[in-house]
């Protein structure tokens, strides 16, 4: 403030200063005030009608929104439905308002939308009503507690017997009065959340005591007997029989027909079903399956020479497919190498053939035969080329093999020139006891 100014001027200046300062502060506050957040665009949040018991949660989801804030749900009537995080849990039949609220995300303000949830009665889901088989050992009345089917409703069950001469029902107590069959119906009553169920039916079959079955003797078969019919033991009941094998890899059963797959031993269980008069019964028996012995033919005698190649003998005939094994009683005459017979030296030996067992056949009995090995045959004789020519009294004999033998009228001659006396002369030329030439000449 300027002290040289009059006091009235100083006061005016002071007032103008404070007015200007106030205007500045108002303008500044107006400039920096935050903008108001926009309202988000929300999609549809439709009303829902839900059938109680159809699912554990109500299929309601948040509507679409231009905002990105988190959603929460509330129920106006928690006796009808409750909220667990984002899941709406049905509680009971009725109506409640579900409010879906979206929090502000800075750009968009908080918003909410409502929908009406109506929960109506459901139909109970009922499991099977299992049949019941009861044996009546005497004329005394037998009572049984009925086990109802499994259901998602907790309402009471009502049971009714459709044949009260066989069985009656009081509450859930079944009283057996006589032999026979009694259908029992079960209906589950309605309650707050579920309608009455559709009726389901089971059958109560009342039989007498188990029959006394005669002893079932053990059985023995050969594999070649397959398939075989399994005969059940004697029983006073006319209940149907069924059979079970303890090892289907050895024996399998369809109906009363048994198929044998290999040798072995199994336990056959015979089950007789209950009849109107008799109860069910079970009995076991052992069944043994044996291999067959093959039917084999003879092993023919064999003759070979020393030096021949090893050979495969012709096996005996057989109804088995087993491999044949051979043995030689005299390996100096012949040996067995990889199933082949190899001749070694002249002589005889006994060849024994045995067929190995298979899945269906036992090992065969031994079959024998005589193998004769003869000496190697002599090489063929090569005949020498010979000739005999007479000129006057000179007989000339030629041969390309000097080892020939020459006879003239039984007397020794020579290869070359032979001088002969007059008369008839028979010339015989032999080689290794083989006559090569035999010719008559007339010498004058």
């Amino acid at each position: 403030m300027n002290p040289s100014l009059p006091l009235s001027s100083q006061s005016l200046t002071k007032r103008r200063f404070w007015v200007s300062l106030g205007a500045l502060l108002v303008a500044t506050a107006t400039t920096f005030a935050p903008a108001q957040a926009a309202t988000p665009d929300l999609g549809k949040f439709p009303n829902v009608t839900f059938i109680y018991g159809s699912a554990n949660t109500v299929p309601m989801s948040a509507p679409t929104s231009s905002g990105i804030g988190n959603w929460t749900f509330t129920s106006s009537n928690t006796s009808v439905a409750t909220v667990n995080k984002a899941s709406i849990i049905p509680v009971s039949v009725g109506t409640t308002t579900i409010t879906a609220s979206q929090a502000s995300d800075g750009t968009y303000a908080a918003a909410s939308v409502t929908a009406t949830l109506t929960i109506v009665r459901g139909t109970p889901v009922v499991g099977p009503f299992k049949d019941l088989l009861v044996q009546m050992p005497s004329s005394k009345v037998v009572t049984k507690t009925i086990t109802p089917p499994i259901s998602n409703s907790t309402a009471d069950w009502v049971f009714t017997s459709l044949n009260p001469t066989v069985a009656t029902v009081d509450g859930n107590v079944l009283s057996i009065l006589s032999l026979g069959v009694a259908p029992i119906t079960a209906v589950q009553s309605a309650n707050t959340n579920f309608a009455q169920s559709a009726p389901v039916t089971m059958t109560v079959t009342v039989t007498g005591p188990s029959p006394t079955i005669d002893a079932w003797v053990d059985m023995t078969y050969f594999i070649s007997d397959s398939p075989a019919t399994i005969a059940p033991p004697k029983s006073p009941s006319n209940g149907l029989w069924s059979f079970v094998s303890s090892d289907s890899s050895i024996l399998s059963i369809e109906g009363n027909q048994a198929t044998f797959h290999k040798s072995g031993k199994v336990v056959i269980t015979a089950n007789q079903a209950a009849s109107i008069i008799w109860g069910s019964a079970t009995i076991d028996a052992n069944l043994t399956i044996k291999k067959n012995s093959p039917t084999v033919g003879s092993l023919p005698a064999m003759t070979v020479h020393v030096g021949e190649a090893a050979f495969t003998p012709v096996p005996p005939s057989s109804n088995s497919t087993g491999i044949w094994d051979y043995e030689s009683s005299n390996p100096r005459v012949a040996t067995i190498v990889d199933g082949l017979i190899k001749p070694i030296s002249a002589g005889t030996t006994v060849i024994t053939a045995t067929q190995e067992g298979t899945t269906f056949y036992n090992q065969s009995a031994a079959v024998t035969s005589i193998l004769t090995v003869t000496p190697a045959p002599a090489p063929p004789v090569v005949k020498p080329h010979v000739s005999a020519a007479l000129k006057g009294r000179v007989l000339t004999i030629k041969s390309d093999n000097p080892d020939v033998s020459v006879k003239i009228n039984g007397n020794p001659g020579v290869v070359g020139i032979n001088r002969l006396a007059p008369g008839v002369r028979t010339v015989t030329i032999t080689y290794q006891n083989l006559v090569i030439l035999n010719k008559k000449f007339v010498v004058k």
Side-chain angles (χ1 to χ4, degrees):
M1 187 175 298
N2 189 348
S4 63
L5 293 176
L7 291 176
S8 58
S9 297
Q10 291 183 16
S11 299
L12 178 60
T13 301
K14 185 184 297 183
R15 283 196 303 269
R16 288 176 178 173
F17 169 78
W18 288 114
V19 169
S20 298
L21 179 60
L24 178 62
L25 291 175
V26 170
T28 302
T30 302
T31 302
F32 292 98
Q36 185 177 0
T39 300
D41 294 326
L42 300 182
K44 294 181 179 180
F45 190 41
N47 298 331
V48 172
T49 298
F50 178 79
I51 299 174
Y52 189 88
S54 60
N56 293 327
T57 60
V58 178
M60 295 183 74
S61 56
T64 59
S65 174
S66 56
I68 60 173
N70 293 330
W71 285 95
T72 57
F73 298 89
T74 59
S75 170
S76 66
N77 188 349
T78 55
S79 64
V80 173
T82 60
V83 176
N84 180 13
K85 295 182 180 179
S87 298
I88 300 173
I89 313 299
V91 176
S92 180
V93 168
T95 301
T96 183
T97 299
I98 302 298
T99 300
S101 300
Q102 186 177 36
S104 172
D105 60 7
T107 301
Y108 291 97
S112 64
V113 65
T114 62
T116 300
L117 169 63
T118 303
I119 299 179
V120 298
R121 276 182 175 179
T123 300
V125 179
V126 177
F129 196 21
K130 295 182 180 180
D131 292 341
L132 182 63
L133 176 63
V134 180
Q135 285 190 354
M136 195 170 183
S138 65
S139 59
K140 180 181 177 182
V141 175
V142 177
T143 58
K144 296 284 185 179
T145 300
I146 300 176
T147 301
I150 296 174
S151 172
N152 59 347
S153 173
T154 58
D156 293 334
W157 286 91
V158 177
F159 304 100
T160 304
S161 172
L162 301 185
N163 189 355
T165 61
V166 173
T168 60
V169 177
D170 183 9
N172 67 341
V173 177
L174 179 70
S175 297
I176 307 299
L177 305 180
S178 64
L179 303 180
V181 176
I184 305 295
T185 61
V187 176
Q188 191 171 30
S189 303
N191 62 7
T192 301
N193 295 321
F194 287 98
Q196 177 178 291
S197 73
V200 289
T201 303
M202 77 165 177
T203 299
V204 176
T205 302
V206 184
T207 68
S210 296
T212 301
I213 300 176
D214 288 359
W216 200 21
V217 297
D218 293 343
M219 296 161 276
T220 300
Y221 291 93
F222 288 98
I223 291 181
S224 59
D225 296 329
S226 179
T229 300
I230 302 299
K234 290 183 178 180
S235 169
S237 171
N238 64 351
L240 296 177
W241 286 97
S242 62
F243 304 93
V244 178
S245 167
S246 63
D247 190 340
S248 58
S249 68
I250 297 175
L251 180 152
S252 58
I253 299 179
E254 184 172 350
N256 64 346
Q257 294 295 300
T259 301
F260 308 147
H261 304 293
K262 60 183 178 181
S263 61
K265 189 174 184 179
V266 297
V267 175
I268 303 296
T269 300
N271 299 303
Q272 188 173 34
S275 65
I276 297 299
I277 299 175
W278 297 98
S280 60
T282 299
I283 191 171
D284 292 337
N286 295 317
L287 190 149
T288 301
I289 303 170
K290 293 183 176 181
K291 292 183 181 181
N292 293 83
S293 294
T295 302
V296 298
S298 59
L299 182 65
M302 295 164 279
T303 300
V304 294
H305 299 296
V306 173
E308 286 190 34
F311 66 96
T312 301
V314 178
S317 61
S318 174
N319 56 350
S320 171
T321 58
I323 297 173
W324 285 95
D325 298 320
Y326 299 93
E327 292 182 0
S328 171
S329 65
N330 189 349
R332 291 180 295 180
V333 173
T335 59
I336 310 297
V337 180
D338 296 331
L340 302 178
I341 299 177
K342 182 178 181 180
I344 302 298
S345 63
T348 59
T349 182
V350 176
I351 301 298
T352 300
T354 305
Q355 191 175 31
E356 296 179 6
T358 65
T359 300
F360 303 107
Y361 289 93
N362 291 313
Q363 178 178 297
S364 73
V367 182
T368 59
S369 177
I370 299 297
L371 170 66
T372 300
V373 179
T374 60
V381 176
V382 178
K383 294 181 180 180
H385 292 89
V386 298
S387 64
L390 179 65
K391 186 176 182 180
R393 294 182 179 178
V394 175
L395 178 66
T396 303
I397 296 176
K398 295 180 180 180
S399 174
D400 59 2
N401 188 331
D403 293 332
V404 296
S405 173
V406 179
K407 297 283 187 179
I408 302 175
N409 285 352
N411 297 314
V414 297
V415 174
I417 296 176
N418 295 273
R419 299 183 186 280
L420 304 178
V424 177
R425 300 289 183 264
T426 299
V427 178
T428 303
I429 301 175
T430 61
Y431 178 72
Q432 295 185 359
N433 297 322
L434 180 66
V435 176
I436 300 174
L437 185 145
N438 187 39
K439 188 176 182 180
K440 290 184 179 181
F441 293 91
V442 177
V443 182
K444 295 182 179 180

